[in-house]
């Protein structure tokens, strides 16, 4: 009996080590970092993941903290451009309209995560460019410039929302015990953003082919250099950058009508410098779910959902879903015309 137990013990030991060797095999149901970052297609997919974080800015989904990210609330409602119906039952939005927004508000939590998620994904691309892969030197130049454009774009959003001391993330943190980043010092965030946009302008193409519509271009980077310097109040630098874009860039005003600038069938038009790409079921009558995102700002610009037009039958904007409407100041500034049925009316007559 002792001999039998001993043999069973030996078989179990050898079986354990054999299984341990099997556990070291690469998984067959997913890619790993060791096998993924090899081809141009791999890196395109990786950079697209950084772009994808942009979509959540303007729509809320289960990825943005329980479908209540509501970036529109902290980018539109707190301004003088819109006001919330005083009778609205949405107490959170009415509070934001009164500038009662706290750090505990889920909208701020969501957008902070989206910003640094996008930065993280861009940094992953930069980190893997110099590893063993099949990329050409030109591929590496363009991809590095594109990743820096996105990193700068996200840092710029952080600066606008959270101030000049927002953390600067230019590397992928790997030490779980040391992931917290310090606040940026005076001028450091502006310097990092402008450096990244400058590298992007130098390395990106001036235009992409039709299969890559929406990817950042050199002219988009130059435009953002001008915009960042406006925020920095460096007027000479801003004038130089923006003047270059106006005089030499490929852009021109849409001459048909102001509405056509934002029409769903006129996307990426001659006025578009950097446009976040969405896709979705335009034939779908479910205005609340557009491409699996509640894209409030997006739907508002397309005349769906919470759009800014007046429904005279119900006495409220957007098919009686009148949570927020343009203020008279905004109306006076633009004097736009809006469509009711088949008739266009000046918005000044609607309020």
């Amino acid at each position: 009996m002792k001999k039998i137990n001993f043999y069973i013990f030996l078989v179990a030991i050898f079986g354990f080590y054999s299984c341990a060797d099997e556990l070291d095999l690469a998984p067959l149901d997913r890619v790993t970092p060791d096998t993924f970052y090899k081809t141009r297609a791999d890196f395109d997919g990786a950079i697209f993941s950084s772009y994808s974080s942009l979509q959540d800015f303007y729509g809320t989904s289960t990825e943005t903290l329980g479908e209540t990210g509501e970036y529109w609330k902290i980018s539109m409602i707190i301004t003088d451009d819109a006001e919330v119906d005083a009778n609205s039952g949405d107490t959170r939005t009415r509070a934001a309209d009164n500038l009662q927004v706290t750090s505990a508000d889920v909208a701020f939590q969501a957008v902070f995560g989206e910003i640094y998620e996008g930065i993280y994904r861009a940094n992953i691309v930069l980190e893997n460019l110099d590893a063993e892969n099949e990329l050409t030197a030109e591929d590496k130049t363009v991809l590095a410039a594109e990743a820096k454009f996105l990193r700068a774009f996200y840092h710029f959003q952080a600066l606008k929302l959270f101030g000049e001391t927002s953390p600067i993330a230019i590397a992928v943190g790997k030490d779980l015990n040391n992931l917290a980043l310090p606040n940026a010092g005076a001028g450091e965030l502006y310097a990092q953003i402008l450096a990244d946009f400058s590298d992007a302008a130098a390395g990106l193409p001036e235009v992409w082919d039709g299969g890559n519509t929406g990817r950042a271009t050199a002219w988009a980077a130059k435009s953002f250099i001008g915009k960042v310097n406006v925020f920095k109040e460096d007027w000479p630098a801003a004038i130089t950058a923006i003047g270059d874009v106006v005089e030499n860039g490929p852009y021109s005003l849409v001459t048909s009508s102001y509405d056509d600038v934002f029409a769903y069938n006129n996307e990426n038009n001659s006025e578009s410098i950097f446009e976040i790409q969405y896709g979705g079921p335009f034939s779908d009558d479910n205005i609340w779910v557009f491409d699996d995102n509640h894209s409030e700002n997006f739907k508002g610009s397309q005349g769906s959902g919470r759009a800014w037009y007046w429904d005279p039958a119900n006495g409220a904007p957007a098919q009686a879903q009148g949570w927020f409407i343009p203020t008279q100041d905004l109306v006076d500034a633009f004097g736009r015309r809006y469509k009711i049925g088949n008739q266009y009316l000046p918005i000044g007559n609607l309020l």
Side-chain angles (χ1 to χ4, degrees):
M1 179 62 72
K2 290 182 179 179
K3 288 183 179 180
I4 292 174
N5 289 339
F6 178 72
Y7 288 131
I8 292 174
F9 174 75
L10 289 178
V11 170
I13 289 293
F14 286 123
F16 172 80
Y17 283 108
S18 176
C19 289
D21 290 339
E22 293 296 326
L23 291 175
D24 290 335
L25 295 177
L28 299 177
D29 62 339
R30 69 196 68 182
V31 295
T32 65
D34 292 335
T35 60
F36 179 71
Y37 297 98
K38 301 299 180 185
T39 67
R40 176 59 190 263
D42 291 345
F43 278 91
D44 280 342
I47 200 70
F48 292 161
S49 73
S50 184
Y51 280 100
S52 73
S53 297
L54 295 173
Q55 293 184 333
D56 282 339
F57 277 15
Y58 301 98
T60 58
S61 71
T62 51
E63 293 183 6
T64 56
L65 300 183
E67 302 193 5
T68 53
E70 298 178 342
Y71 178 62
W72 56 270
K73 181 168 66 177
I74 58 177
S75 61
M76 294 171 60
I77 296 302
I78 63 174
T79 72
D80 293 331
D81 292 341
E83 60 186 8
V84 178
D85 183 351
N87 297 317
S88 168
D90 187 346
T91 56
R92 291 180 305 158
T93 304
R94 282 194 285 113
D97 193 28
N98 294 323
L99 300 181
Q100 298 171 347
V101 182
T102 70
S103 59
D105 194 301
V106 73
F108 277 111
Q109 298 173 27
V111 76
F112 186 90
E114 292 152 13
I115 285 172
Y116 284 94
E117 172 192 76
I119 292 172
Y120 166 77
R121 291 173 174 179
N123 282 334
I124 288 178
V125 172
L126 291 167
E127 182 181 77
N128 284 279
L129 283 177
D130 292 329
E132 183 179 348
N133 54 57
E134 301 172 13
L135 299 179
T136 66
E138 181 181 1
D139 288 337
K140 292 181 179 181
T141 297
V142 172
L143 288 163
E146 195 170 13
K148 288 185 177 183
F149 176 95
L150 290 165
R151 187 169 71 181
F153 179 92
Y154 287 116
H155 275 123
F156 188 36
Q157 308 315 306
L159 183 149
K160 291 188 292 182
L161 283 169
F162 305 112
E164 295 182 37
T165 61
S166 299
I168 299 172
I170 55 174
V172 179
K174 294 182 174 63
D175 183 356
L176 296 179
N177 297 315
N178 190 31
L179 292 178
L181 296 173
N183 288 344
E188 291 180 348
L189 187 53
Y190 272 116
Q192 181 63 50
I193 292 170
L194 289 170
D196 276 348
F197 274 137
S198 295
D199 289 346
L204 284 169
E206 293 190 354
V207 64
W208 291 86
D209 60 47
N212 289 285
T213 299
R215 297 180 76 164
T217 66
W219 287 112
K222 292 175 183 178
S223 300
F224 272 105
I225 290 172
K227 187 171 184 177
V228 172
N229 277 306
V230 168
F231 275 75
K232 190 181 177 185
E233 298 186 5
D234 185 343
W235 308 119
I239 291 170
T240 297
I242 295 173
D244 182 26
V245 174
V246 171
E247 295 296 327
N248 304 307
Y251 311 109
S252 62
L253 296 178
V254 173
T255 58
S256 53
S257 74
Y258 186 77
D259 289 348
D260 287 341
V261 176
F262 302 101
Y264 77 87
N265 58 354
N266 195 31
E267 295 174 344
N268 300 297
N269 54 58
S270 61
E271 288 193 27
S272 176
I273 294 177
F274 181 62
E275 186 167 333
I276 299 171
Q277 306 299 302
Y278 280 88
F282 286 104
S283 60
D284 189 350
D285 61 359
N286 182 359
I287 61 174
W288 293 108
V289 182
F290 187 89
D291 196 24
D292 297 325
N293 280 275
H294 299 312
S295 309
E296 310 296 356
N297 285 30
F298 179 81
K299 290 189 299 187
S301 71
Q302 303 304 315
S304 174
R306 299 182 181 180
W308 288 356
Y309 65 87
W310 196 262
D311 182 350
N314 294 290
Q319 301 169 2
Q321 303 295 339
W323 283 291
F324 52 88
I325 58 177
T327 60
Q328 191 62 49
D329 286 343
L330 185 66
V331 173
D332 294 340
F334 287 91
R336 289 199 52 188
R337 295 166 61 85
Y338 280 79
K339 187 176 184 182
I340 300 177
N342 294 320
Q343 183 181 11
Y344 283 93
L345 295 175
I347 191 173
N349 294 341
L350 306 180
L351 300 180

